Coordinates of all heavy atoms in Angstrom, one line a residue:
L8 N -9.2 10.0 -44.4 CA -10.3 9.9 -45.5 C -10.5 11.2 -46.2 O -10.5 11.4 -47.3 CB -11.6 9.4 -44.9 CG -12.6 9.0 -45.9 CD1 -12.2 8.0 -46.8 CD2 -13.9 8.6 -45.2
F9 N -10.6 12.3 -45.3 CA -10.9 13.5 -45.8 C -9.7 14.1 -46.6 O -9.9 14.7 -47.7 CB -11.2 14.5 -44.6 CG -11.8 15.8 -45.0 CD1 -13.0 15.8 -45.7 CD2 -11.2 17.0 -44.8 CE1 -13.6 17.0 -46.1 CE2 -11.8 18.2 -45.2 CZ -13.0 18.2 -45.9
Y10 N -8.5 13.7 -46.2 CA -7.4 14.1 -46.9 C -7.3 13.5 -48.3 O -7.1 14.1 -49.3 CB -6.1 13.6 -46.1 CG -4.8 13.8 -46.9 CD1 -4.2 15.0 -47.1 CD2 -4.2 12.6 -47.4 CE1 -3.1 15.1 -47.8 CE2 -3.1 12.8 -48.1 CZ -2.5 14.0 -48.4 OH -1.3 14.1 -49.1
L11 N -7.7 12.2 -48.4 CA -7.8 11.6 -49.6 C -8.7 12.3 -50.6 O -8.3 12.4 -51.8 CB -8.3 10.1 -49.4 CG -7.3 9.1 -49.0 CD1 -8.0 7.7 -48.8 CD2 -6.2 8.9 -50.1
C12 N -9.8 12.8 -50.1 CA -10.7 13.5 -50.9 C -10.1 14.8 -51.4 O -10.2 15.2 -52.5 CB -12.0 13.8 -50.2 SG -12.9 12.3 -49.8
L13 N -9.4 15.5 -50.5 CA -8.8 16.8 -50.8 C -7.7 16.8 -51.8 O -7.4 17.7 -52.5 CB -8.4 17.6 -49.6 CG -9.6 18.1 -48.8 CD1 -9.2 18.7 -47.5 CD2 -10.4 19.2 -49.6
V14 N -7.0 15.6 -51.8 CA -5.8 15.5 -52.7 C -6.3 15.8 -54.1 O -5.6 16.4 -54.9 CB -5.2 14.1 -52.6 CG1 -4.3 13.8 -53.8 CG2 -4.5 13.9 -51.3
F15 N -7.4 15.3 -54.4 CA -7.9 15.5 -55.8 C -8.5 16.9 -56.1 O -8.9 17.2 -57.2 CB -9.0 14.4 -56.1 CG -8.5 13.1 -56.0 CD1 -8.8 12.3 -54.9 CD2 -7.6 12.5 -57.0 CE1 -8.2 10.9 -54.8 CE2 -7.1 11.2 -56.9 CZ -7.4 10.4 -55.8
A16 N -8.7 17.6 -55.0 CA -9.4 18.9 -55.2 C -8.5 20.0 -55.8 O -9.1 21.0 -56.3 CB -9.9 19.4 -53.8
S17 N -7.2 19.8 -56.0 CA -6.3 20.8 -56.4 C -6.8 21.3 -57.8 O -6.7 22.5 -58.1 CB -4.9 20.4 -56.4 OG -4.8 19.1 -57.1
V18 N -7.1 20.4 -58.7 CA -7.5 20.9 -60.0 C -8.9 20.5 -60.3 O -9.2 19.3 -60.1 CB -6.6 20.2 -61.1 CG1 -7.0 20.8 -62.4 CG2 -5.1 20.4 -60.7
I19 N -9.8 21.4 -60.6 CA -11.2 21.1 -60.9 C -11.2 21.1 -62.5 O -11.1 22.1 -63.1 CB -12.2 22.0 -60.3 CG1 -12.0 22.2 -58.9 CG2 -13.6 21.6 -60.7 CD1 -12.2 20.9 -58.1
G20 N -11.5 20.0 -63.0 CA -11.3 19.9 -64.4 C -12.7 19.9 -65.2 O -13.7 20.0 -64.6
V21 N -12.5 19.7 -66.5 CA -13.6 19.8 -67.3 C -13.7 18.6 -68.2 O -12.6 18.2 -68.7 CB -13.6 21.1 -68.2 CG1 -14.5 20.9 -69.4 CG2 -13.9 22.3 -67.3
L22 N -14.8 17.9 -68.3 CA -14.9 16.8 -69.2 C -15.6 17.2 -70.5 O -16.5 18.0 -70.4 CB -15.8 15.8 -68.6 CG -15.3 14.6 -67.8 CD1 -16.4 13.7 -67.4 CD2 -14.3 13.7 -68.8
L23 N -15.1 16.7 -71.5 CA -15.8 17.0 -72.8 C -16.8 15.9 -73.0 O -16.5 14.7 -72.9 CB -14.8 17.0 -74.0 CG -13.9 18.2 -73.9 CD1 -12.9 18.0 -75.1 CD2 -14.6 19.5 -74.0
I24 N -18.0 16.2 -73.1 CA -19.0 15.2 -73.2 C -19.3 14.8 -74.6 O -20.0 15.6 -75.4 CB -20.4 15.7 -72.5 CG1 -20.1 16.4 -71.2 CG2 -21.3 14.5 -72.4 CD1 -19.3 15.5 -70.2

Side-chain angles (χ1 to χ4, degrees):
L8 186 61
F9 194 60
Y10 169 75
L11 276 176
C12 293
L13 285 175
V14 166
F15 297 105
S17 49
V18 186
I19 306 299
V21 163
L22 261 185
L23 294 175
I24 314 305

